[in-house]
Amino acid sequence: MTSNDFPILRLKKNEERRIYSGHLWAFSNEFVEVPKNIAAGSIVKIVRDLDERFVAFGFYNPHSLIAARILSRDPVEQIDTDFFRRRLVAAADRRALLLSSRNSARIVHSESDLLPGLVIDKFDDAIAFQISSAGFEVRKDELIALIEELWKPRAIVEKNATHTRTLEGLEQIERLVKGDSAEALITDSAGSKFTSDILTGQKTGFYLDQMENRTELRRYVKPGMKVLDLFSNDGGFAINLAAAGAASVIAVDSSVPALKRLKLNASANRVAEKITTVARDCFDFLQEQTEALDMIVVDPPSLVKSKRDLPQAVRSYQSLNQHALRLVAPEGVLFTASCSHHMSRDLLAEVIQEAARKSRRTVTVLEERGAGIDHPILVGMPETAYLHAFVLRVL
């Protein structure tokens, strides 16, 4: 099928403006009609209803609020296997310099790499992919063939068990597509090593978005520091801070398997004697503590699955930060983060301000940080700026 043969969808008056500005979603209520006879995952040609002027090509899903995900605004673009191959190569090439200093990175970041609904993470010689659009779901075999062709990985893992797939009407599935093992050895730019089973690990197997923040936070460590790492997972922050000179690190997580992996990683990095693990709900643990600490890391999983969860999430983030600020010693450091696009940078700043007021602490911002450079932000699409973090000095 050529681009001229794609089914046509018509946008209501003025609904094309956001797409022209660089946003890559068109919602079901923006179209004159949402046909049910066009299969989910089909490529469609989007035009203005007023004059049938071309707007874009996109993936279509009649079962989702996001009815179309934009692929190209070039009217003569041919959307075929070679199109996707070029997009994949371009995305990976953007990470080439980063991968010269570490062996793992996100090499495709969905809309930000103009591949809507597709994430690909490279863990040394293993590849994990995650699909959140019907367009790539129906092209899964084609995608796997391209991954094999372009990177020839030892292992390929499908990590398709996410909330966003439910919204797209897609089934939940995690499987080892290629290889005998989904285990990978991950190294960051500071030389820390982490062993992860990609198939059973969270998200795509390992939290790559905080990798740069973990190594950059080392600069605030002074010898003898006492550190608390909340929601520690595999130990990315705990191990880096211990290796940077902290005297002791308490790593808290509710997941016993995650803490088991943390202990193995700590031993591999020769900092096991500095790290104490606690299997506990982080909210409960934090509220019960009284000992002052020199640095606290608050890096919870997303607390906002949808917009309706935002009020409760704001209360949860405020509680976490209020109790953390209460415990930070004078001149100490708090690193606090949120990984939901519903929690904007400004809203997180307001949460911190209110937490400081309630804990009667004065804080200054040393740095504002986000996801690593392998997780770029698409300027026309604020949803891609999902991770916000502050490094705070507590006075």
Side-chain angles (χ1 to χ4, degrees):
M1 181 182 290
T2 68
S3 300
N4 291 328
D5 299 322
F6 294 146
I8 294 175
L9 264 65
R10 291 175 169 82
L11 283 168
K12 296 176 183 177
K13 185 179 179 180
N14 296 329
E15 298 293 1
E16 76 281 2
R17 291 178 177 177
R18 196 182 71 260
I19 296 173
Y20 285 155
S21 70
H23 202 279
L24 299 188
W25 293 346
F27 297 96
S28 57
N29 61 357
E30 296 172 341
F31 288 101
V32 173
E33 180 187 5
V34 180
K36 301 298 182 183
N37 61 340
I38 301 176
S42 298
I43 297 173
V44 293
K45 180 180 180 180
I46 302 168
V47 301
R48 300 196 316 179
D49 185 53
L50 180 66
D51 54 11
E52 296 207 354
R53 178 181 173 185
F54 174 83
V55 177
F57 296 117
F59 286 144
Y60 178 61
N61 190 347
H63 312 302
S64 172
L65 176 62
I66 306 172
R69 295 173 183 261
I70 306 306
L71 288 167
S72 174
R73 290 183 291 167
D74 182 349
V76 298
E77 187 95 67
Q78 293 299 311
I79 314 295
D80 52 19
T81 298
D82 193 53
F83 168 86
F84 293 113
R85 180 185 290 108
R86 292 195 307 272
R87 288 278 173 96
L88 290 170
V89 169
D93 284 350
R94 295 179 192 120
R95 278 73 171 184
L97 185 60
L98 180 64
L99 284 168
S100 66
S101 63
R102 63 194 222 201
N103 74 351
S104 302
R106 175 153 295 180
I107 54 176
V108 173
H109 190 47
S110 198
E111 277 78 359
S112 293
D113 284 304
L114 308 182
L115 289 162
L118 175 64
V119 162
I120 300 179
D121 285 347
K122 183 179 186 298
F123 301 102
D124 194 18
D125 57 356
I127 292 281
F129 71 88
Q130 192 170 83
I131 292 171
S132 58
S133 68
F136 278 114
E137 181 69 14
V138 300
R139 292 166 181 79
K140 189 188 297 182
D141 291 343
E142 180 182 353
L143 172 65
I144 292 170
L146 285 171
I147 290 173
E148 177 71 45
E149 171 194 327
L150 295 174
W151 295 291
K152 298 178 175 54
R154 170 189 55 81
I156 300 175
V157 180
E158 180 178 357
K159 293 286 288 184
N160 280 334
T162 65
H163 174 67
T164 50
R165 282 180 65 85
T166 302
L167 299 178
E168 287 279 307
L170 306 176
E171 67 174 333
Q172 306 289 300
I173 179 170
E174 292 185 317
R175 65 186 176 117
L176 183 61
V177 176
K178 175 192 174 183
D180 298 325
S181 170
E183 190 170 280
L185 179 63
I186 300 158
T187 59
D188 63 26
S189 59
S192 300
K193 302 177 181 65
F194 304 91
T195 299
S196 178
D197 187 313
I198 303 169
L199 185 59
T200 60
Q202 296 185 23
K203 291 188 79 172
T204 58
F206 190 79
Y207 287 95
L208 289 174
D209 50 6
Q210 290 277 24
M211 186 173 272
E212 289 175 41
N213 293 335
R214 296 178 194 127
T215 55
E216 289 299 310
L217 203 59
R218 283 171 168 247
R219 74 176 80 182
Y220 299 103
V221 175
K222 297 178 181 177
M225 267 189 166
K226 295 180 180 179
V227 176
L228 172 62
D229 179 17
L230 297 168
F231 308 96
S232 57
N233 198 252
D234 289 357
F237 280 105
I239 289 167
N240 268 289
L241 298 176
S248 63
V249 180
I250 301 171
V252 186
D253 201 286
S254 60
S255 170
V256 173
L259 293 178
K260 183 178 179 180
R261 292 193 300 271
L262 189 155
K263 290 179 181 178
L264 292 173
N265 289 330
S267 295
N269 287 277
R270 300 181 181 179
V271 292
E273 71 284 355
K274 293 185 175 184
I275 299 177
T276 302
T277 58
V278 178
R280 190 83 191 280
D281 177 89
C282 290
F283 287 87
D284 294 341
F285 178 89
L286 191 57
Q287 292 181 35
E288 295 167 3
Q289 297 311 298
T290 57
E291 181 183 2
L293 296 142
D294 302 298
M295 181 184 289
I296 297 180
V297 174
V298 180
D299 180 29
S302 177
L303 302 177
V304 196
K305 297 298 183 185
S306 66
K307 228 173 188 177
R308 65 176 177 267
D309 300 325
L310 190 56
Q312 178 56 49
V314 167
R315 291 190 288 271
S316 297
Y317 282 115
Q318 187 174 299
S319 174
L320 282 171
N321 284 282
Q322 179 182 336
H323 288 290
L325 285 169
R326 175 179 58 84
L327 293 176
V328 178
E331 301 296 332
V333 173
L334 171 63
F335 174 90
T336 186
S338 166
C339 61
S340 170
H341 76 263
H342 295 292
M343 176 68 74
S344 68
R345 176 266 173 208
D346 290 345
L347 183 54
L348 182 59
E350 290 176 16
V351 165
I352 293 167
Q353 182 180 10
E354 182 64 9
R357 184 187 70 81
K358 288 190 172 183
S359 61
R360 299 184 178 181
R361 301 301 298 273
T362 299
V363 300
T364 60
V365 177
L366 300 174
E367 287 188 73
E368 291 188 33
R369 301 192 63 84
I373 60 173
D374 53 338
H375 293 63
I377 297 167
L378 188 64
V379 171
M381 197 165 181
E383 293 88 348
T384 59
Y386 73 97
L387 178 61
H388 306 284
F390 289 86
V391 184
L392 306 170
R393 178 75 69 190
V394 184
L395 307 179

